[in-house]
Amino acid sequence: GYGLDQSWSALGLGSMAIDGTFLAWDSKTSSLYQLWRDSGSSSTKLNKRVIQLDGWETKTMPYGKNIKVIAPEWSTNVYIFDRDNQTFTVYKSNPLKTNTSYTSSYKLVYVMRYNFDLTSKIIDVAIPNANSNKPTLYVMTTEGIFQANLDQTIMTFEAAQ
């Protein structure tokens, strides 16, 4: 069903995020896939591609198997939370994924990464849509919920690049 052919059976798809298209993490190859259907078409074929991740972080610290992808439709950013390594990575789409001409052809460029303390286990992270123009990261640990204003932090890192 869902237009998936045999080539999908070998993928270890785990976390999915919906941003007008679907993003899915393949834990077997540590790759981020994008899935979409052609607009205005009655086709049941599901298109797929690997999204290129540009940056040093995947070479120096490979992603674990337990990944959560966050890709708000309103945002030009894609966020990857690695539960195994306790990291939260921010990527900026290039060209911007919010531009309808590039919704299925952008790559992701590394902006920054939080390396969380491994002694305080992160249970989950979230970026609510209510703060669309000023994204806020909420981090749930066994000790409570903490928040970080991502907009200022991202702007600082982008200005330094």
Side-chain angles (χ1 to χ4, degrees), residues 32 52-58 63 68-72 74-82 87-94 97 107-116 125-127 135-137 139 148-158 161:
L32 182 62
Q52 179 181 339
L53 302 176
D54 282 353
W56 60 269
E57 78 298 334
T58 56
Y63 286 110
K68 178 179 183 178
V69 178
I70 303 171
W74 46 263
S75 177
T76 58
N77 297 326
V78 172
Y79 311 97
I80 296 180
F81 172 51
D82 182 341
T87 61
F88 179 84
T89 308
V90 178
Y91 290 93
K92 173 77 75 182
S93 57
N94 182 17
K97 72 180 185 73
K107 66 180 179 178
L108 295 174
V109 179
Y110 174 83
V111 176
M112 59 167 272
R113 173 180 276 174
Y114 285 120
N115 293 307
F116 296 111
V125 298
I127 301 173
T136 301
L137 171 65
V139 180
N149 294 324
L150 279 177
D151 61 323
Q152 289 296 340
T153 307
I154 289 170
M155 286 191 308
T156 300
F157 276 89
E158 286 179 331
Q161 292 179 351

